[in-house]
Amino acid sequence: MSRLGDLGARLYRGEAGYDFVAKRRLWYGVSILITILAFAGLGIRGLHMGVEFEGGAVFTTEATDVSLERAREVAEEASGSQALVQSLGNDGSLRIQVSGLDTEQSNITREALAEELGIPAQDLNAELVGPSWGSQIANKAWQGLAIFMVLVVIYLAIAFEWRMAAAALIALIHDLTITVGVYALVGFEVTPGTVIGLLTILGYSLYDTVVVFDGLKETTKNYPKQSTYTYGELANRSLNGTLVRSINTSVVALLPVAALLFIGGGVLGGGMLNDIALSLFVGLTAGAYSSIIIATPLVADFKMREPAVRAHDKKILAKRAKREAEETEGNEAADSGSDDPADAAGAEGEGPEEAAAAGSVVGPRRQPVSRNRGRNRPSGKRR
């Protein structure tokens, strides 16, 4: 068995593990810090919305020698807005996107680009997207997201319980916030591909959370009937049992997405691939993190606030403390019994190994020796 497989087996059996539940406040603090940074990036830089949401114009050129930087400068000077320029393939054609343009501004920008390219304005392909259509797309996206969240909460409340539904909802909001914050900090454009990526990562994060919750439900179903582990300890054992599986599935899912983002989008200039791949990469990472660090500790936190669970945990801890106290007293009694002066006398003249062996022998093994000392005297001394 591989080392990772052996570790997974040990985690499943409870022979190894990390106490996520006991250190949950530390991880809550880390998540809150990440969320604050995400909101700060969103407030300072904001989101760069694409033409599909804000409206604008998209210009597509034929093969040209004009550089990306020069095309961007011309478009921004003519329109007065920020432009996004991408290379299409290896033939030198360009895609120039400018948000927030009306028809008049679009015509001015088109003429300026055509002059720079040295072609007639009518030969430059231009597509104008109205802001009303973009706002409809944005509203539909928000509606779809809200419906998705409601259905998730209803399903988890029926399949598990409301505490797990609340924890899953918090984890999903956590994933969304981090992904949107990264988009704001990086400055990537928000397109319909971004929305597709967000919905995809929400589904994946929910899947991972449901698997973890299923293990938690199975582990804690006999909780009131046992008196060995507290609820937090059982929740932590369940989480460690699925830890390696969650890491493996997350890594396997992230590898192709990383290739899509860093090779397809970064090296090959994939355009919209960047929008989808970035949301998937950040969202999958945040989803794996939240399903381990946020979801299960939150459920344990909710459950341990219940009076019945708190009372049962208190009984278990009291029983454990009593047992430990009895074991400590027994060990102290055994240690005090081994300090008899006869042990030291019996070990005189012996080597270190014999002395250690003699020191480990208790009273009944020493008594026959003391009784035989008088009997084994030489007969001459007796007379």
Side-chain angles (χ1 to χ4, degrees):
M1 183 182 294
S2 64
R3 291 184 178 180
L4 187 60
D6 181 62
L7 176 61
R10 292 176 60 203
L11 288 170
Y12 183 79
R13 294 192 299 266
E15 299 172 1
Y18 179 83
D19 202 345
F20 293 99
V21 175
K23 297 179 175 62
R24 59 189 180 278
R25 289 181 176 82
L26 170 63
W27 298 114
Y28 292 166
V30 173
S31 296
I32 291 173
L33 178 60
I34 296 174
T35 304
I36 291 174
L37 293 176
F39 276 115
L42 187 61
I44 294 172
R45 301 197 60 177
L47 290 175
H48 182 201
M49 306 300 291
V51 295
E52 294 85 357
F53 297 103
E54 287 190 344
V58 179
F59 307 98
T60 306
T61 72
E62 300 290 340
T64 178
D65 295 332
V66 177
S67 64
L68 298 178
E69 291 76 12
R70 180 55 185 165
R72 183 182 300 109
E73 291 176 1
V74 173
E76 291 180 351
E77 290 175 1
S79 64
S81 302
Q82 186 177 1
L84 177 65
V85 183
Q86 298 172 334
S87 177
L88 301 178
N90 299 322
D91 59 353
S93 58
L94 303 177
R95 182 178 184 269
I96 305 167
Q97 179 177 301
V98 186
S99 301
L101 297 185
D102 55 21
T103 304
E104 183 179 355
Q105 292 173 327
S106 175
N107 292 333
I108 294 174
T109 306
R110 182 181 185 183
E111 292 175 358
L113 288 172
E115 182 179 354
E116 180 67 28
L117 296 172
I119 60 175
Q122 60 269 20
D123 292 342
L124 181 60
N125 185 24
E127 296 179 4
L128 186 63
V129 180
S132 60
W133 185 83
S135 67
Q136 290 178 4
I137 294 295
N139 291 334
K140 293 295 182 182
W142 284 114
Q143 291 176 8
L145 182 61
I147 294 172
F148 174 82
M149 292 291 192
V150 171
L151 292 178
V152 164
V153 172
I154 294 174
Y155 166 75
L156 290 179
I158 295 175
F160 298 99
E161 56 176 309
W162 69 264
R163 298 168 189 83
M164 293 185 178
L169 181 61
I170 294 173
L172 289 177
I173 295 174
H174 169 271
D175 300 342
L176 274 177
T177 304
I178 292 178
T179 306
V180 172
V182 170
Y183 254 84
L185 292 173
V186 174
F188 273 33
E189 187 180 40
V190 178
T191 66
T194 306
V195 178
I196 295 172
L198 286 175
L199 293 177
T200 303
I201 63 167
L202 289 179
Y204 179 86
S205 177
L206 178 63
Y207 161 76
D208 204 26
T209 302
V210 167
V211 171
V212 174
F213 282 174
D214 186 64
L216 176 61
K217 181 181 179 181
E218 184 68 22
T219 304
T220 59
K221 66 179 181 180
N222 294 324
Y223 163 74
K225 300 179 181 179
Q226 57 86 41
S227 59
T228 304
Y229 301 105
T230 64
Y231 189 92
E233 291 168 348
L234 286 177
N236 193 71
R237 286 170 63 90
S238 171
L239 182 57
N240 279 278
T242 58
L243 181 62
V244 172
R245 175 216 158 273
S246 297
I247 294 175
N248 286 339
T249 54
S250 300
V251 170
V252 170
L254 281 172
L255 286 176
V257 175
L260 189 67
L261 176 62
F262 298 111
I263 299 178
V267 178
L268 302 180
M272 191 175 288
L273 287 177
N274 286 331
D275 306 328
I276 300 176
L278 180 64
S279 61
L280 287 175
F281 187 83
V282 177
L284 290 176
T285 305
Y289 169 84
S290 65
S291 64
I292 297 172
I293 302 299
I294 302 297
T296 301
L298 273 177
V299 174
D301 233 344
F302 293 154
K303 290 290 290 186
M304 288 187 293
R305 296 175 186 272
E306 294 183 4
V309 174
R310 187 182 301 175
H312 194 60
D313 282 353
K314 188 175 181 180
K315 291 180 182 179
I316 293 173
L317 294 176
K319 181 179 178 181
R320 186 182 301 171
K322 181 179 179 181
R323 184 171 61 250
E324 291 176 354
E326 292 175 352
E327 292 177 356
T328 302
E329 291 177 359
N331 293 334
E332 290 177 353
D335 292 340
S336 63
S338 63
D339 292 337
D340 196 321
D343 293 340
E348 290 181 359
E350 297 177 352
E353 296 179 359
E354 291 80 3
S360 64
V361 178
V362 295
R365 297 277 307 270
R366 295 196 304 269
Q367 292 175 0
V369 176
S370 63
R371 289 197 300 268
N372 290 336
R373 285 178 180 175
R375 298 176 184 176
N376 294 334
R377 291 176 181 176
S379 58
K381 290 183 178 181
R382 187 178 302 174
R383 289 193 295 269

